[in-house]
Amino acid sequence: MKLRHLIVVVAIAEQGSVVRAAHHLRLAQPAVTRCLRELERILDVELFVRGPRGVRPTFYGEAFLEHARAALAELRRAGERITDLADGRLGTVRVGTLLAGSSQLLPRAIADLKRAYPAVTVVVSEATFDKQVLRLLAGELDLIVGRLTPLDGLGGLRQIRLYSEAMRLVARRDHPVRGRAGLGLKDLLDYPWILPLAQTALRQEVERAFGAEDLDLPADVVECTSILTVRTLVRETDMIAVLPELVAAADGDLAPLAVPLEGIRRAVGVTVPQERSLTPAAGLLLGFLRERASTLEPVADGDQNRFSRARVNVESASARSRMTS
């Protein structure tokens, strides 16, 4: 088995056809076909089947692609690391981010890292956990920062818990329901909502909270993971959102509603590969994430002042950041 076998198989899978893979690799189509057949003879299995819209990986092809992508990513990372060392740079860290952690923890840790090590390059991408974890396993990311989603038997990963925070129902400060006595979930159903994406762990927890009160989910719903989009919609409309406490506390135009989401808390932390060691740059960022997380003190459920205390903690962290910059 040779490196070109891995490159060709990954290209075919990503391009969806041998013709497009050949064009992408700037090779003749017969050469790509010959390379694929050669690898299939070595493995003694069929890696792709032809369909009406091109080719798709077989069961064996999917398994092989997982390892091929990881191997190519490791080779790319090795080349980048040697180049960085030769040029006197500390390298690049690639971070996948989720909603929790993207507003306070990660930006402040990145700022700390860049003040201490300006030569480190940080690449941040936002997506849902299921998409991020595939990129992490493939070696395209160094770590994921956000809610610690159950791995459900997914091997090759480990999680580092940094802190915990409650989820809150949040609306703009002059929302029509404010000031109403005895406010409950049922009173909020006539308003538009912003909910986590379907099939996510947080969405399932929200659905259980409604189910516990024999309520269906609101009919008028936007599903969104972009924090900028969520905050703008909540500030400028009557929409109600489910947000991590620290995300909401960072925006002076938003405030929680007096309707608790019982038992919905999230552990926030870092997901990293189990076997693959972190690069020096990724290790540095992890250290700053730990330091920043220690300033985000958990607040007890039932404390009526917990939202304002979270805001004070965020502002204090910001002040400390300015003093050290």
Side-chain angles (χ1 to χ4, degrees), residues 246-265:
L246 288 170
V247 172
D251 193 323
D253 295 326
L254 310 181
L257 295 170
V259 180
L261 287 175
E262 297 295 342
I264 303 184
R265 295 187 65 85

Side-chain angles (χ1 to χ4, degrees), residues 12 16-23 29 32-33 36 50 55:
I12 293 172
S17 79
V18 172
V19 173
R20 288 193 293 271
H23 179 74
Q29 180 183 340
V32 173
T33 301
L36 173 61
R50 187 175 299 278
V55 298

